[in-house]
């Protein structure tokens, strides 16, 4: 099975962003998530877009930027709805609800 290099690169950027998030370096994390996000937009990777928006929302929430966190979650929810991706929709909605409960 042939794998698209752009998909692999987008996933690599995402994973680097995740590592920086785990280390608490939110600025670097968002930088890599945004790079992954832009590439995923170009290759029309809906699952990757949803994941990027979710992770960016989580970081923004951790930084107490709740308004931007909600906007990021909403973008992920919108994509999940448009592709009728119920598991991802529930996942992002749960993260959004946690923001309201915090």
């Amino acid at each position: 099975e042939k794998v698209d290099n752009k998909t692999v690169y987008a996933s690599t950027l995402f994973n680097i962003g995740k590592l920086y998030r785990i280390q608490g370096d939110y600025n670097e994390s968002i930088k890599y998530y945004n790079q992954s996000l832009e590439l995923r937009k170009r290759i029309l990777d809906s699952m990757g877009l949803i994941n990027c928006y979710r992770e960016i929302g989580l970081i923004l929430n951790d930084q107490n930027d709740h308004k931007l966190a909600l906007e990021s979650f909403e973008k992920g929810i919108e994509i999940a709805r448009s592709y009728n991706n119920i598991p991802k929709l529930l996942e992002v909605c749960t993260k959004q609800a946690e923001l309201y409960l915090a």
Side-chain angles (χ1 to χ4, degrees):
E1 179 179 329
K2 185 176 179 181
V3 178
D4 181 3
N5 285 340
K6 290 179 183 174
T7 302
V8 172
Y9 186 56
S11 294
T12 301
L13 291 168
F14 180 86
N15 289 332
I16 292 169
K18 198 167 209 167
L19 288 172
Y20 276 115
R21 181 172 183 254
I22 290 167
Q23 294 174 344
D25 190 342
Y26 295 141
N27 291 331
E28 281 298 302
S29 181
I30 284 183
K31 179 176 117 181
Y32 280 94
Y33 283 143
N34 279 325
Q35 289 177 23
S36 179
L37 184 69
E38 290 308 312
L39 184 53
R40 290 173 191 276
K41 285 178 183 177
R42 290 196 305 264
I43 63 175
L44 305 175
D45 177 5
S46 63
M47 290 284 284
L49 287 169
I50 295 165
N51 289 336
C52 285
Y53 283 123
R54 181 198 64 229
E55 292 298 316
I56 290 168
L58 290 171
I59 289 173
L60 292 168
N61 184 50
D62 288 347
Q63 293 178 318
N64 293 317
D65 194 340
H66 304 299
K67 182 180 178 195
L68 285 179
L70 286 173
E71 288 175 17
S72 190
F73 289 141
E74 282 298 323
K75 289 176 184 176
I77 289 168
E78 182 180 320
I79 295 167
R81 279 189 181 137
S82 71
Y83 285 91
N84 200 29
N85 188 327
I86 303 304
K88 285 291 178 186
L89 179 63
L90 292 173
E91 184 180 302
V92 180
C93 283
T94 299
K95 295 299 177 188
Q96 185 181 42
E98 289 172 359
L99 187 144
Y100 282 109
L101 296 173

